[in-house]
Amino acid sequence: MSISYKPVIGLEIDAQLQTNSKIFASDPVLFGQEANTLISPISLGHPGTLPKLNKKVLEYAIKMGLAIGSTIAPKQYFDRKNYFYPDLPKGYQITQDKTPICIGGSILVHLKEGDKKMEFHHIHLEEDAGKSLHEGDNPFSFLDYNRAGTPLIEMVTEPSIHSSEEAFALVSEVRKLVRYLGICDGNMEEGSLRADVNVSIRPVGTSTLGTKVEIKNMNSLRNIQRAIEYEIVRQTKVLNEGGSLIQETRTFDAHAGTTHSMRIKETMNDYRYFPEPDLAPLEISASWLTEIKSTMPLLPWEQEQKLIKEFSLPAYDAHFLADTREMALYFEEATQHSKAYKSISNWLMGPVKSHLNEKNQSITDFELSPKALAEIVELVEKGTLTHNLAAHQLFPLAIENPGKSASQIVEEQGWLHAQSGDEILLWVQEAIAAYPDKVKEYQKGKKGLIALFIGEVMKKSKGTADPKRVNQLMSEELAKV
Ligand code: ADP
């Protein structure tokens, strides 16, 4: 008989902090530079060098802690985690084992079945390692130490995530939050945000945690989800076939969609943690904490509430617009130039989003300024242009001609004229004159033929006429014939 199991997942999410320099040295923190150009005796761990803590790192970690409601530890110290690996030149990593900077905290995530509070165990500080590079058939491995000493916060969740969707939602939310806080660019492809994923299963109705496996260094949301799904199926199969699971580290093969064992617990390192003797213990003063609190930006959920309250937007719109701070700010700036808040939101969720998706751009790359978009919105609001004309003709032209205002384009295209009753009436009369037979049929009762006449006028106007107006004039004129 097969038993039903409940998945249990815990994440360790690493975020590289966007500081100018490394956590314990003045080497710059930059991605994609030539190998071994951002290094110094300190980040290479040369004998006799001493680490010096970058204060910005503490500030950024505290910001994250405050955002998720953690307790900020007033006193902390760093620990040495000892292990040998070629990308770790010192032979140990400086981390916080016993005294993490932030304790507890939670984030609310939106799931199909409702909102769920995801709990964090703690957030600690540590330094990133360098990178080993293996190139094709080359028998040598290469080492790039540019990343060594990049500041990281590791956000460790409680083992209270129960599906791959929940894990996906949580990492997405963390990514959104670090970007709002401006502490990490959240770029998963570049490894700025990545996660170790711990997965176990336990029989439904029991509470003892099962044996977990840890899948290291996942740097895509989709792969986190796939790896968890694969593990749940694999572990269920092992247990249902009477086997047992072992605590191990596994890697995910994105190509095959499977995980495979890297090392088992017995051969795992004993890190021999001890307090880092080269760094003094830390004390976070209450006054500094107050100062950091005063510099906190609006958080994603606060931004969402603001959009709902201040601009009367539906929750759906607010959620969409607050997905990035830049989009929310774009919206807010556009409202300085048009009070049609819901229409601006519709434009951003519709034509603007499609355009950005098509071009693979973000709102910060968008060609139209908030003011320029608001001008288009207003032209429709005031009835100068139909939405159709604005969205399908004016919008692309405005993007192609960033130097021209919307009203300038409207003028040049002669659309104002085309929208006037006189011109439409002329086209209506021409359409009626062109189809005398159809007019007779219409008069005999085939009222559906009005669509043909309207279509004719729309063609003549190249789609610029307001269909409502055409319909009205057409009915009036056909009644006169
Ligand atoms: P370890 O000592 O092996 O590093 P921790 O207790 O420190 O384990 O937890 C590390 C991460 O693993 C946390 O995110 C935690 O939620 C998760 N975790 C711990 N036990 C389990 C389990 N049985 N199943 C799934 N995740 C777990």
Side-chain angles (χ1 to χ4, degrees):
M1 192 193 76
S2 63
I3 303 176
S4 293
Y5 292 96
K6 187 174 171 100
V8 176
I9 300 149
L11 301 175
E12 294 160 278
I13 307 169
D14 283 339
Q16 285 182 343
L17 300 178
Q18 256 174 327
T19 48
N20 293 328
S21 54
K22 292 185 179 174
I23 182 166
F24 302 121
S26 58
D27 320 342
V29 171
L30 287 169
F31 180 81
Q33 304 299 299
E34 196 187 328
N36 299 311
T37 53
L38 311 174
I39 53 175
S40 64
I42 297 177
S43 47
L44 291 180
H46 285 190
T49 57
L50 288 174
K52 183 165 178 259
L53 181 63
N54 178 346
K55 194 173 173 190
K56 209 67 186 167
V57 169
L58 292 179
E59 181 192 322
Y60 282 6
I62 290 172
K63 278 190 165 165
M64 185 67 192
L66 290 174
I68 66 168
S70 311
T71 302
I72 310 300
K75 289 184 179 178
Q76 309 150 42
Y77 59 85
F78 285 93
D79 297 280
R80 273 191 193 181
K81 180 179 180 179
N82 299 281
Y83 64 98
F84 172 76
Y85 205 74
D87 64 15
L88 188 74
K90 291 202 294 283
Y92 59 86
Q93 179 192 29
I94 303 180
T95 179
Q96 290 183 318
D97 181 41
K98 291 284 186 304
T99 57
I101 184 161
C102 309
I103 301 140
S106 63
I107 293 186
L108 201 66
V109 298
H110 306 293
L111 302 165
K112 268 191 244 106
E113 53 286 6
D115 291 351
K116 184 177 168 185
K117 204 170 164 190
M118 304 299 229
E119 306 282 349
F120 284 82
H121 183 267
H122 73 260
I123 302 174
H124 67 257
L125 289 169
E126 60 188 29
E127 58 180 334
D128 210 343
K131 248 187 194 164
S132 301
L133 308 166
H134 315 281
E135 292 175 355
D137 294 336
N138 197 320
F140 295 101
S141 289
F142 296 88
L143 286 157
D144 175 8
Y145 290 114
N146 281 351
R147 201 178 67 173
T150 295
L152 290 179
I153 46 172
E154 182 161 307
M155 299 168 260
V156 182
T157 76
E158 294 290 355
S160 55
I161 300 165
H162 296 298
S163 68
S164 63
E165 294 80 29
E166 287 183 16
F168 185 99
L170 178 58
V171 180
S172 310
E173 211 56 38
V174 166
R175 181 173 61 176
K176 194 198 288 188
L177 187 53
V178 293
R179 286 176 171 166
Y180 259 78
L181 292 169
I183 61 170
C184 166
D185 66 20
N187 191 333
M188 296 190 74
E189 301 90 79
E190 292 180 359
S192 315
L193 190 74
R194 49 191 202 257
D196 295 342
V197 180
N198 299 273
V199 187
S200 68
I201 56 172
R202 59 172 157 78
V204 169
T206 64
S207 59
T208 313
L209 292 178
T211 304
K212 64 163 182 164
V213 305
E214 183 177 10
I215 310 155
K216 286 267 187 205
N217 273 324
M218 304 290 299
N219 64 353
S220 119
L221 282 169
R222 176 85 195 97
N223 287 344
I224 289 175
Q225 204 168 3
R226 289 168 73 208
I228 293 172
E229 278 156 20
Y230 177 82
E231 266 308 303
I232 294 170
V233 172
R234 185 189 71 83
Q235 295 183 16
T236 306
K237 188 161 178 278
V238 171
L239 294 188
N240 278 338
E241 285 172 356
S244 57
L245 295 160
I246 41 170
Q247 191 169 335
E248 60 184 345
T249 304
R250 297 176 76 89
T251 52
F252 180 66
D253 177 344
H255 189 64
T258 56
T259 64
H260 56 88
S261 185
M262 266 170 79
R263 53 179 186 266
I264 56 171
K265 198 182 178 212
E266 283 72 53
T267 57
M268 278 185 192
N269 294 295
D270 169 6
Y271 295 117
R272 295 180 295 118
Y273 285 103
F274 63 84
E276 166 60 56
D278 289 340
L279 285 163
L282 299 170
E283 217 172 308
I284 310 287
S285 71
S287 61
W288 192 42
L289 200 55
T290 310
E291 199 183 312
I292 297 174
K293 275 184 192 157
S294 72
T295 64
M296 290 287 280
L298 267 195
L299 301 175
W301 47 90
E302 294 169 343
Q303 177 70 64
E304 232 174 282
Q305 283 311 309
K306 182 181 177 202
L307 294 175
I308 294 171
K309 290 212 183 91
E310 232 170 80
F311 303 97
S312 308
L313 291 181
Y316 179 87
D317 295 45
H319 187 66
F320 170 87
L321 296 172
D323 189 46
T324 65
R325 200 168 131 76
E326 292 73 21
M327 182 61 95
L329 293 180
Y330 186 101
F331 169 82
E332 287 189 6
E333 200 180 326
T335 65
Q336 306 277 313
H337 308 281
S338 163
K339 297 284 164 252
Y341 306 145
K342 175 63 179 136
S343 300
I344 298 174
S345 167
N346 289 344
W347 272 85
L348 289 169
M349 294 193 297
V352 175
K353 181 181 165 215
S354 311
H355 170 75
L356 297 176
N357 284 351
E358 204 175 293
K359 290 271 183 81
N360 201 11
Q361 287 178 341
S362 69
I363 191 74
T364 44
D365 312 313
F366 185 39
E367 295 86 346
L368 298 185
S369 68
K371 188 174 173 209
L373 183 73
E375 196 190 346
I376 299 179
V377 173
E378 279 297 296
L379 285 170
V380 179
E381 282 303 302
K382 292 202 184 107
T384 313
L385 296 183
T386 62
H387 176 77
N388 213 9
L389 176 59
H392 299 296
Q393 304 207 38
L394 173 59
F395 182 66
L397 278 175
I399 289 171
E400 277 167 35
N401 300 280
K404 287 183 187 165
S405 71
S407 38
Q408 219 176 330
I409 296 172
V410 168
E411 177 89 49
E412 281 175 15
Q413 298 292 320
W415 287 332
L416 281 184
H417 189 50
Q419 298 280 305
S420 83
D422 294 354
E423 184 104 17
I424 296 177
L425 185 59
L426 195 71
W427 287 326
V428 164
Q429 287 163 347
E430 280 174 12
I432 291 174
Y435 295 97
D437 296 352
K438 301 286 175 202
V439 174
K440 280 204 190 96
E441 285 181 46
Y442 175 83
Q443 283 163 338
K444 280 191 198 139
K446 266 185 107 175
K447 297 297 178 205
L449 279 172
I450 195 164
L452 174 123
F453 292 109
I454 293 173
E456 228 13 62
V457 177
M458 293 311 289
K459 245 188 264 166
K460 283 174 190 287
S461 78
K462 298 199 179 73
T464 62
D466 177 356
K468 262 195 250 139
R469 219 145 159 202
V470 177
N471 197 328
Q472 190 202 347
L473 283 174
M474 187 59 81
S475 305
E476 286 170 15
E477 287 303 300
L478 279 168
K480 286 189 203 159
V481 187

